[in-house]
Amino acid sequence: MDWSLVASVLWKICLGVLLLALSALVGYVCAAVGSIRNSLDSIRNTLKSTESLIDQEVTTLVRDVDQAVKEVNQQLPQILENVNGITASIQEISREEIQPTAHNIQQMTDTVNQNLTKLDRLVNAVVDFSQQTVNRAGYYRDQLSIPITEILSAWEGFKRGFEVFSRFRKAGDED
């Protein structure tokens, strides 16, 4: 029996099995990359629609707030004029009647300040929501990079194993 013929046949069989395994691995990697690409496209579309929705809502909210501030700013000088005129008239009539009126004005000012504080909290809540959405989108993006890294590491290991196997085979052929 010729051992070199047997070794040659065994080597060809091993090489054939290895090539089949390599073909299966390449097919799997292609399918995985396609799946990851589809997932990334889906995430990108979701982020775009979320960004659009947030943009629309925030734009509407800012527009409404701006309109309310403009209306308050337009009416504020007239209100102040009326209050000053009333105060002057009341001072002329009687100083004792000013105290209840001043008290009422103080309450109105406090109410306006409270409403402005509530509006400020609302704007801060919208800003916080936007930041959380961006942070969560970054987290999901980072989670997708882990499987890609694992696939690349497995490929690198397989490639190095094949190189060692080839060197070992060449060393065996030279002996």
Side-chain angles (χ1 to χ4, degrees):
M1 179 173 265
D2 187 15
W3 288 107
S4 66
L5 178 64
V6 170
S8 174
V9 169
L10 284 176
W11 167 247
K12 288 178 183 177
I13 289 173
C14 290
L15 185 59
V17 169
L18 185 62
L19 288 175
L20 283 175
L22 181 62
S23 297
L25 179 64
V26 167
Y28 173 76
V29 168
C30 288
V33 168
S35 174
I36 289 171
R37 181 174 181 230
N38 290 340
S39 297
L40 289 175
D41 286 343
S42 173
I43 288 172
R44 183 179 58 230
N45 291 339
T46 302
L47 288 176
K48 282 182 182 179
S49 65
T50 302
E51 179 184 9
S52 172
L53 179 65
I54 288 172
D55 233 9
Q56 291 172 355
E57 294 299 321
V58 168
T59 302
T60 302
L61 178 65
V62 168
R63 192 177 312 124
D64 292 345
V65 167
D66 187 47
Q67 182 68 26
V69 169
K70 284 181 182 178
E71 289 176 9
V72 168
N73 283 341
Q74 288 175 352
Q75 294 175 1
L76 191 60
Q78 183 181 2
I79 291 171
L80 289 176
E81 281 182 31
N82 292 340
V83 169
N84 288 336
I86 291 171
T87 303
S89 298
I90 290 174
Q91 282 178 348
E92 291 175 9
I93 295 172
S94 171
R95 290 203 176 268
E96 293 176 9
E97 294 178 18
I98 291 176
Q99 294 301 323
T101 304
H103 180 70
N104 289 341
I105 291 172
Q106 181 63 39
Q107 287 178 342
M108 286 190 304
T109 303
D110 290 343
T111 303
V112 168
N113 285 339
Q114 289 173 355
N115 288 337
L116 288 176
T117 302
K118 289 177 185 177
L119 184 62
D120 188 44
R121 287 185 199 144
L122 177 64
V123 169
N124 287 337
V126 168
V127 167
D128 289 344
F129 175 75
S130 296
Q131 288 173 347
Q132 288 176 355
T133 301
V134 169
N135 289 341
R136 286 185 182 159
Y139 169 77
Y140 291 124
R141 179 199 64 227
D142 292 343
Q143 289 300 314
L144 281 176
S145 68
I146 292 170
I148 292 172
T149 304
E150 290 176 356
I151 290 171
L152 293 175
S153 295
W155 172 252
E156 186 65 27
F158 177 75
K159 188 170 89 175
R160 289 188 188 247
F162 184 76
E163 290 172 359
V164 168
F165 178 76
S166 295
R167 276 190 261 140
F168 179 76
R169 184 181 167 279
K170 286 181 184 177
D173 286 345
E174 290 176 1
D175 290 339

